[in-house]
Every structure is written in C-alpha cells, then in structure tokens.
C-alpha cells in the first residue's frame, strides 16, 4: 500500500495523458464520418511545391519528437510537463472542434509508386492509413511548434543551445514535410501557426516563471 501511495504521489500527474484517449476517439470518428461534402483547402502556392518522398523521415519523426519531449518533462519537471501538455491539448481540441463544424480536406495527393524506393513505400502506407480530410489546421505543425516552445522555455535547456537548435531544425523540417508530402496545404500551416500564436500567451506569457528543477545533463 505504501509503495502504491508513493507511486501515485510521484507520478500522479500522469492523469492528464488520459486526454489522448478522448482525442483519438474524436479524431477517428471524424476520419470515418468526414468522407464527402467537405471544403477543399487549397492555395495556389501548393501547386508550386513539388512532391518529395524523402520528407517522410521528418514527418514520422514527429511521433518520437512529441512523445519523447512530453515523457522527458514528465520525469524531470512537472511544471514544464503541465505547460507543454496544456499547449498541446488546447490546440488539439480546438483543431477537432474546427474540423467538426467546418469539415475540410485536400485533393492534391499524387499517385505513388511504392516500388520506386523505401520512402515512396512509406508514403503509400501513410496515405492508406491517413485520409486526406481533417487537415485544417495541421496538428503536425501545431504540435511541433508547441513542443519546440516547451523546450525553449524550459530551464533545463537554457544552457544547451545545440538541443534548442536541433529542436528548431526538426520543427521546421516537419512543417516542410507536411506540404512536400502533399498531406497539407500551406493554409493548414498558416492556420496552425495562428492558433499557436493565439494560445501561447495563455500558457507562457501570463505565467512566465516556472519552478526550476535540476535535471541530468544530456
């Protein structure tokens, strides 16, 4: 009993991660129901961006980037953890609301030859697993911005410019990947950036000082 109490006291903040279950249920419901009669999101600029299958690498690294950062803060700094989760989950919820009241999607995915190379094969599998609907605003872009913001505002990384630079490069690469893989329109990126800019003050600017907890050097 004491060990259970000690565990809950140490890791009780894991409760907030239960939001992921709600998000996935809502998201997959939209994936199944938004199949036609949706607004096509498109910009002329999209037509000038070529398809490039190699961007599948940063696109998939997004999963490790987001999950890894959340877990790092989970085990090292509860304040940073709550902030980055608040940033992520607020934007993810707003995105679901937007897609619910404003069904949207794209229509410019190219035909992919999965036998061309391993990267094309991965893109073809991505297209099969993920529909071209519910794209505005881009969650890939928003979450990348939210995670990078959490890293740059954390005392743990203040004296580690290489990590902050790597985070920025990866975030930029992920944003580029969404359009080079024809998963999103540039309008989806713009929408995600605007949403991040609107949420940011409520998470960081209103409470700029966080409690600092020493963490091991990376």
């Amino acid at each position: 009993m004491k060990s259970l109490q000690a565990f809950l006291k140490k890791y009780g903040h894991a409760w907030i991660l239960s939001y992921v279950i709600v998000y996935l249920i809502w998201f997959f419901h939209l994936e199944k129901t938004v199949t036609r009669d949706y607004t096509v999101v498109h910009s002329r600029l999209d037509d000038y961006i070529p398809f490039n299958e190699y961007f599948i690498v940063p696109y998939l690294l997004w999963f490790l980037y987001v999950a890894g950062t959340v877990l790092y803060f989970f085990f090292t700094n509860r304040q940073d953890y709550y902030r980055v989760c608040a940033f992520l989950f607020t934007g993810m919820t707003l995105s679901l609301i937007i897609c619910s009241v404003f069904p949207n999607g794209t229509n410019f995915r190219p035909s992919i030859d999965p036998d061309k190379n391993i990267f094309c094969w991965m893109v073809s599998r991505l297209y099969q697993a993920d529909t071209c609907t519910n794209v505005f605003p881009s969650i890939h872009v928003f979450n990348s911005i939210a995670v990078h913001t959490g890293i740059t505002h954390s005392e743990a990384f203040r004296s580690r410019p290489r990590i902050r630079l790597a985070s920025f490069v990866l975030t930029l690469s992920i944003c580029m990947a969404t359009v080079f893989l024809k998963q999103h329109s540039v309008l989806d990126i713009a929408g995600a950036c605007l949403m991040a800019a609107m949420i940011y003050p409520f998470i960081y600017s209103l409470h700029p000082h966080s409690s600092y907890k020493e963490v091991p050097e990376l």
Side-chain angles (χ1 to χ4, degrees):
M1 180 62 68
K2 290 184 178 180
S3 60
L4 177 60
Q5 291 177 341
F7 178 85
L8 293 176
K9 182 178 180 180
K10 188 175 183 179
Y11 298 116
H13 52 295
W15 69 269
I16 197 173
L17 296 179
S18 60
Y19 168 82
V20 176
I21 299 175
V22 177
Y23 174 82
L24 290 176
I25 293 174
W26 193 347
F27 174 78
F28 284 117
H29 170 73
L30 290 175
E31 287 286 279
K32 290 182 178 180
T33 56
V34 181
T35 57
R36 60 180 183 177
D37 299 328
Y38 55 80
T39 300
V40 175
V41 182
H42 180 263
S43 167
R44 288 186 179 181
L45 184 57
D46 297 321
D47 300 330
Y48 293 97
I49 301 175
F51 170 80
N52 188 310
E53 69 269 22
Y54 299 109
F55 274 96
I56 189 65
V57 176
Y59 190 88
L60 294 180
L61 283 176
W62 173 84
F63 294 95
L64 291 176
Y65 180 48
V66 174
T69 302
V70 171
L71 288 177
Y72 176 80
F73 287 146
F74 175 85
F75 289 110
T76 60
N77 190 305
R78 192 174 297 195
Q79 184 74 5
D80 287 337
Y81 164 76
Y82 277 127
R83 286 189 172 187
V84 78
C85 284
F87 205 160
L88 287 168
F89 299 163
T90 300
M92 291 163 69
T93 301
L94 289 176
S95 178
L96 290 175
I97 293 174
I98 291 172
C99 291
S100 297
V101 302
F102 174 62
N104 58 80
T106 61
N107 63 354
F108 46 68
R109 280 182 173 181
S111 298
I112 303 296
D113 179 8
D115 297 324
K116 179 182 178 181
N117 55 47
I118 184 63
F119 303 102
C120 281
W121 177 81
M122 288 191 290
V123 174
S124 67
R125 294 302 299 268
L126 172 66
Y127 283 2
Q128 292 176 11
D130 189 11
T131 70
C132 59
T133 58
N134 309 307
V135 297
F136 181 90
S138 170
I139 284 298
H140 250 68
V141 171
F142 175 83
N143 282 4
S144 298
I145 294 174
V147 166
H148 178 64
T149 301
I151 289 174
T152 56
H153 280 75
S154 173
E155 289 287 347
F157 299 108
R158 183 150 298 180
S159 60
R160 298 167 185 172
R162 292 183 180 180
I163 293 181
R164 297 202 308 272
L165 176 61
S167 174
F168 173 76
V169 171
L170 181 55
T171 294
L172 182 61
S173 299
I174 292 171
C175 294
M176 294 173 62
T178 62
V179 291
F180 277 97
L181 293 178
K182 298 300 179 179
Q183 280 287 91
H184 288 278
S185 164
V186 293
L187 296 178
D188 302 330
I189 293 181
C193 292
L194 178 61
M195 187 166 67
M198 293 174 63
I199 297 173
Y200 170 84
F202 296 97
I203 306 299
Y204 291 99
S205 294
L206 297 181
H207 305 282
H209 302 294
S210 63
S211 57
Y212 173 64
K213 180 179 179 180
E214 189 69 36
V215 295
E217 288 288 330
L218 293 181

